[in-house]
Amino acid sequence: MKSIKFSNGDSMPIIGLGTWKSKPGEVYQAILWAIESGYRHIDCAAIYDNEKEVGNALQFAFKNGLVTREEMFITSKLWNSNHRLEDVQPALKKTLKDLKLEYLDLYLVHWPVSFKKGVGFAQNREEFFTYNDVPLSQTWEGMEDCKSKGFTKHIGVSNFNIAKLEEIIKSGKQMPEMNQVEMHPFNPQHKLVEYCQSKGIHMTAYSPLGSGDRSASIKKSDEPSLFENQVVMELADKYQVSAAQILIAYSIHRGIVVIPKSVNEGRIKQNLASVEIQFDKEDVEKLSKIDLRYRFIDGSFFTGSKSPYAQQDLWENDNS
Ligand code: A2P
């Protein structure tokens, strides 16, 4: 399995199974299909509300000798309501309990946005903490503690732009080892990729297929389709693979970890097989040039008029 390497020599499989939007009734079977077909990396988060089922599936796999814990790479994420120093470790421990694991391989700060304790999705000003209340440096200190205590082998962030990364790099003792962001040919994030590479921060692409199964409340009616993009379709034809496989292979060819979500056995297998695609160099460039600066997950649910956060707290001004 192709992988990326952390500075301590640990490796992370370049493709993992995404579990955002996988329902509790579906994710158990999806994890087992994934492990049986050769996935060794699962991407989770507390807010996905399915970690218990993921944990049950992992337990089944370990107990029945499908795979060992050491062979698996498991990521999870700290939700926005647990950013205070005293809340970080308990949040990680809850995730470990749900996943029935002793340790995570990677723990990420899910968003650079902070909610008050117990809030799922903040709806009004009173439910948010500001950066004055809970600076990102405080959350990062909590993450460093978790790593030093062995609850997670690696730590990183998600949805962080260059300014936010600089902030925690300046204040922290340890570098973030990963930045997981939305990435695909409509938003290849060239500037952020270049910055992360220059700092030795690995990257993971979420929503590599455009997350068409999002709830209607966070979907626009006129969204462009990655699957129907002309360049993507031409390459699918050229390499005799599906559009989804072109999109997954695009990330792999950039050395960027990719976590397509599926709960369908055939598509779970198909997505893993994308690792085999050998692109001609110019085809990666063709995909990179599409660059519509288009985000499917635009973060506007965290930055409305009732929030202390602005779009610049999430993305660069040119939306890259
Ligand atoms: P399903 O779970 O039924 O397979 P993303 O990873 O960008 O969040 O996208 C997930 C969406 O893409 C889901 O609706 C998922 O549906 C669908 N999907 C996953 N793999 C494929 C594939 N190989 N071809 C088409 N759609 C796919």
Side-chain angles (χ1 to χ4, degrees), residues 20-21 210-224 294-298 300-301:
W20 176 40
K21 307 174 262 73
S211 291
D213 55 345
R214 270 165 298 133
S215 75
S217 60
I218 54 165
K219 238 173 146 174
K220 295 191 184 81
S221 55
D222 58 348
E223 286 184 350
Y294 188 84
R295 286 176 190 281
F296 293 99
I297 318 299
D298 66 6
S300 53
F301 36 86

Side-chain angles (χ1 to χ4, degrees), residues 20-21 206-213 227 242 244-245 248 259-264 267-268 270-271:
W20 176 40
K21 307 174 262 73
Y206 76 66
S207 298
L209 310 177
S211 291
D213 55 345
F227 292 148
S242 70
Q245 288 178 304
I248 295 165
I259 48 166
K261 171 266 175 187
S262 181
V263 291
N264 172 282
R267 290 192 284 274
I268 287 172
Q270 184 197 118
N271 294 347

Side-chain angles (χ1 to χ4, degrees), residues 77-313:
K77 311 184 194 87
L78 175 78
W79 188 237
N80 306 354
S81 51
N82 291 309
H83 275 203
R84 291 181 308 176
L85 183 58
E86 65 268 35
D87 295 329
V88 178
Q89 198 175 297
L92 172 51
K93 284 187 166 165
K94 165 79 166 67
T95 271
L96 289 175
K97 187 166 172 251
D98 287 347
L99 292 172
K100 297 171 192 62
L101 298 176
E102 302 279 311
Y103 67 91
L104 289 177
D105 295 280
L106 177 63
Y107 198 42
L108 306 176
V109 179
H110 207 149
W111 288 88
V113 166
S114 180
F115 300 163
K116 290 197 177 153
K117 181 94 190 135
V119 173
F121 273 87
Q123 305 290 339
N124 55 60
R125 181 64 191 78
E126 295 72 53
E127 292 180 314
F128 286 92
F129 278 135
T130 64
Y131 289 132
N132 281 335
D133 300 325
V134 188
L136 288 172
S137 56
Q138 189 183 118
T139 310
W140 190 244
E141 194 185 331
M143 298 291 283
E144 291 174 331
D145 283 352
C146 289
K147 183 176 170 182
S148 66
K149 293 195 171 110
F151 295 122
T152 181
K153 290 190 185 257
H154 301 278
I155 51 175
V157 295
S158 181
N159 298 298
F160 272 46
N161 64 11
I162 294 174
K164 292 287 175 281
L165 285 165
E166 299 248 275
E167 210 177 308
I168 57 167
I169 291 171
K170 208 162 63 195
S171 71
K173 293 194 275 294
Q174 296 192 35
M175 285 289 286
E177 297 170 274
M178 175 61 72
N179 188 17
Q180 181 180 126
V181 298
E182 177 180 335
M183 247 190 296
H184 41 65
F186 289 173
N187 195 8
Q189 308 250 31
H190 296 301
K191 239 196 290 181
L192 189 59
V193 169
E194 197 181 313
Y195 173 83
C196 287
Q197 277 170 353
S198 76
K199 298 285 177 189
I201 303 169
H202 290 292
M203 298 196 80
T204 298
Y206 76 66
S207 298
L209 310 177
S211 291
D213 55 345
R214 270 165 298 133
S215 75
S217 60
I218 54 165
K219 238 173 146 174
K220 295 191 184 81
S221 55
D222 58 348
E223 286 184 350
S225 161
L226 281 164
F227 292 148
E228 286 164 24
N229 175 268
Q230 196 60 35
V231 178
V232 174
M233 288 199 313
E234 274 168 25
L235 292 179
D237 196 41
K238 171 173 172 183
Y239 292 96
Q240 288 294 293
V241 296
S242 70
Q245 288 178 304
I246 294 293
L247 295 165
I248 295 165
Y250 170 62
S251 188
I252 294 172
H253 277 259
R254 299 173 82 205
I256 289 168
V257 179
V258 62
I259 48 166
K261 171 266 175 187
S262 181
V263 291
N264 172 282
E265 186 176 13
R267 290 192 284 274
I268 287 172
K269 288 196 171 127
Q270 184 197 118
N271 294 347
L272 185 65
S274 316
V275 177
E276 309 302 331
I277 299 171
Q278 298 294 332
F279 274 147
D280 297 330
K281 194 166 177 282
E282 65 268 22
D283 290 333
V284 182
E285 279 156 25
K286 263 190 208 162
L287 289 162
S288 274
K289 279 195 186 129
I290 299 175
D291 199 3
L292 305 180
R293 306 273 159 102
Y294 188 84
R295 286 176 190 281
F296 293 99
I297 318 299
D298 66 6
S300 53
F301 36 86
F302 293 146
T303 59
S305 58
K306 292 178 181 151
S307 161
Y309 298 98
Q311 287 283 310
Q312 303 90 276
D313 288 318

